[in-house]
């Protein structure tokens, strides 16, 4: 029987399916269910920098400065304390790796948070670096340096693996991943998903877009996983977004990913999606005669010239000029 064990960020996973961060992964009973269904790891619901900042801002800043500073510190510590309790409770019910998640966009405050998260027993920390660079007077490289600095400072504070989850809004994700590796990241996740914006034309107001991904979203990740895994082979890659079937898992592994993070499909279909995906993966491996994931991982990444040519293709000319 073939094996679906894989390694990611220095962690051995019994399956390449990692349950991605969502509201569901704040429930300890859900985490236990995900492990029972065969998840390789779980990423806890993110600790959001934006939420902490907004909660602090909700207090009247005109009060005495010392009182305001106290409130700010209290809110931050309370949010972190609740999160540390989630980690401890998760570790009581899970034998698979429990990965903490920090969704951030600034540098400077996460070092202490990371230290306490590691002390609480998290097996790794995923830094979900979410930011839009919109400054008109932007200096080239500033945004990329911020990303690398956040990883470097957190990685310097903890002994557990630091995973960088980056956005696709980068000029060169390959170069960014190389910088992440140099900064101390033990793995990278491609890509984080921004809050989806839509417009309600009846009320002429902003509304929330569809928060779920679909198989149509997988193409971008496959391209960059194929390029990153070839160019920065020492940095394990996980794909996030668009994996909605066992076939999506196979495609991700062939592109060079070591694992996939899945949230939308599990929320829509339930925890049983994990066992179905694992079973589909095993049957495909056995049909192809593979003993394990390492036998074919990256088979279609950019290491081969003909694969590279396909991965960097940006034009539709050939597709639409072919006679069908």
């Amino acid at each position: 029987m073939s094996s679906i064990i894989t390694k990611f960020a220095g962690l051995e996973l019994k399956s390449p399916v990692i349950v991605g961060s969502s509201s569901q992964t704040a429930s300890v009973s859900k985490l236990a269910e995900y492990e029972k269904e065969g998840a390789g790891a779980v990423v806890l619901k993110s600790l959001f920098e934006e939420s902490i900042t907004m909660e602090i801002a909700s207090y009247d800043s005109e009060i005495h400065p010392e009182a305001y500073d106290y409130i700010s510190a209290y809110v931050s510590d309370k949010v972190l304390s609740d999160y540390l309790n989630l980690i401890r409770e998760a570790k009581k019910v899970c034998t698979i790796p429990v990965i903490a998640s920090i969704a951030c966009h600034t540098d400077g405050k996460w070092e202490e948070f990371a230290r306490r998260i590691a002390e609480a027993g998290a097996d790794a920390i995923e830094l979900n670096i979410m930011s839009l660079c919109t400054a008109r007077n932007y200096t080239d490289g500033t945004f990329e340096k911020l990303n690398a600095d956040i990883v470097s400072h957190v990685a310097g504070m903890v002994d557990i693996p630091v995973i960088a989850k980056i956005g696709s809004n980068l000029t060169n994700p390959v170069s960014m991943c190389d910088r992440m590796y140099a900064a101390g990241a033990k793995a990278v996740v491609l890509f984080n998903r921004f809050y989806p914006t839509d417009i309600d034309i009846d009320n002429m107001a902003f509304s929330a877009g569809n928060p779920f991904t679909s198989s149509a979203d997988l193409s971008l990740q496959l391209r960059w996983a194929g390029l990153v895994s070839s160019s920065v082979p020492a940095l394990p890659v996980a794909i996030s977004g668009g994996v909605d079937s066992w076939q999506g898992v196979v495609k991700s592994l062939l592109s060079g990913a070591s694992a996939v993070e899945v949230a939308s499909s599990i929320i829509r279909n339930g925890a049983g999606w994990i066992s179905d995906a694992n079973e589909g993966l095993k049957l495909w491996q056995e049909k192809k005669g593979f003993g394990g994931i390492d036998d074919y991982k990256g088979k279609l990444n950019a290491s081969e010239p003909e694969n590279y040519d396909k991965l960097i293709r940006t034009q539709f000319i050939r597709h639409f000029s072919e006679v069908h």
Side-chain angles (χ1 to χ4, degrees):
M1 180 177 290
S2 63
S3 169
I4 59 170
I5 292 173
T6 189
K7 287 188 176 180
F8 178 68
L11 305 170
E12 184 170 279
L13 312 184
K14 65 180 183 180
S15 159
V17 177
I18 299 172
V19 181
S21 177
S22 74
S23 60
Q24 303 290 299
T25 57
S27 165
V28 174
S29 62
K30 284 286 187 182
L31 299 178
E33 186 180 4
Y34 296 146
E35 175 167 0
K36 183 179 178 182
E37 291 292 339
V42 291
V43 183
L44 299 180
K45 185 179 187 299
S46 291
L47 182 63
F48 283 94
E49 175 183 1
E50 185 178 17
S51 296
I52 297 172
T53 303
M54 288 176 64
E55 186 168 351
I56 292 171
S58 68
Y59 290 90
D60 185 358
S61 60
E62 297 301 318
I63 62 178
H64 193 284
E66 289 185 4
Y68 187 72
D69 288 345
Y70 170 80
I71 290 171
S72 300
Y74 172 79
V75 169
S76 295
D77 194 66
K78 176 65 167 60
V79 172
L80 177 59
S81 178
D82 290 344
Y83 198 74
L84 299 179
N85 286 334
L86 174 61
I87 294 169
R88 296 186 188 102
E89 292 303 310
K91 290 297 294 180
K92 289 178 183 178
V93 302
C94 292
T95 61
I96 58 175
V98 172
I99 302 171
S101 174
I102 299 175
C104 57
H105 57 84
T106 61
D107 187 21
K109 69 172 62 175
W110 305 111
E111 293 92 327
E112 178 62 20
F113 277 37
R115 183 186 65 79
R116 293 178 64 183
I117 284 171
E119 290 174 350
D123 295 289
I125 297 174
E126 180 178 276
L127 291 175
N128 191 350
I129 305 171
M130 307 184 73
S131 180
L132 290 174
C133 185
T134 60
R136 184 177 179 183
N137 60 347
Y138 168 71
T139 301
D140 293 347
T142 304
F143 180 63
E144 289 77 7
K145 183 177 184 301
L146 172 63
N147 280 248
D149 285 347
I150 292 172
V151 171
S152 177
H153 294 154
V154 171
M157 285 293 297
V158 297
D159 293 326
I160 60 175
V162 173
I163 302 163
K165 189 171 188 178
I166 63 174
S168 60
N169 58 322
L170 296 163
T171 303
N172 186 345
V174 173
S175 175
M176 188 71 258
C177 289
D178 189 48
R179 292 183 68 169
M180 290 299 191
Y181 179 63
K186 298 302 181 185
V188 67
V189 181
L190 309 174
F191 293 103
N192 59 33
R193 180 169 168 81
F194 292 163
Y195 176 80
T197 301
D198 201 352
I199 290 179
D200 179 342
I201 63 173
D202 291 325
N203 296 308
M204 292 187 291
F206 287 107
S207 60
N210 182 5
F212 298 117
T213 62
S214 70
S215 59
D217 298 301
L218 185 56
S219 176
L220 179 69
Q221 281 81 307
L222 293 178
R223 179 194 297 266
W224 287 109
L227 293 166
V228 170
S229 64
S230 171
S231 298
V232 196
L235 183 69
V237 173
I239 279 179
S240 175
V243 178
D244 69 350
S245 64
W246 66 264
Q247 291 94 333
V249 178
V250 173
K251 292 176 185 180
S252 300
L253 297 171
L254 284 169
S255 75
S258 299
V260 296
E261 288 192 1
V262 183
S264 294
S265 294
I266 295 172
I267 293 172
R268 282 194 297 249
N269 301 293
W273 185 94
I274 303 168
S275 56
D276 290 343
N278 285 341
E279 186 61 24
L281 175 60
K282 288 178 184 176
L283 291 174
W284 179 86
Q285 286 185 177
E286 291 168 3
K287 180 180 178 181
K288 294 294 184 181
F290 294 127
I293 289 171
D294 287 341
D295 293 343
Y296 61 90
K297 185 179 74 175
K299 189 174 180 64
L300 296 181
N301 75 3
S303 297
E304 294 294 330
E306 69 174 90
N307 294 342
Y308 177 78
D309 290 342
K310 291 180 173 64
L311 288 167
I312 65 167
R313 181 177 297 157
T314 58
Q315 302 297 325
F316 289 92
I317 295 173
R318 179 180 175 186
H319 176 79
F320 286 114
S321 65
E322 289 177 346
V323 177
H324 298 285

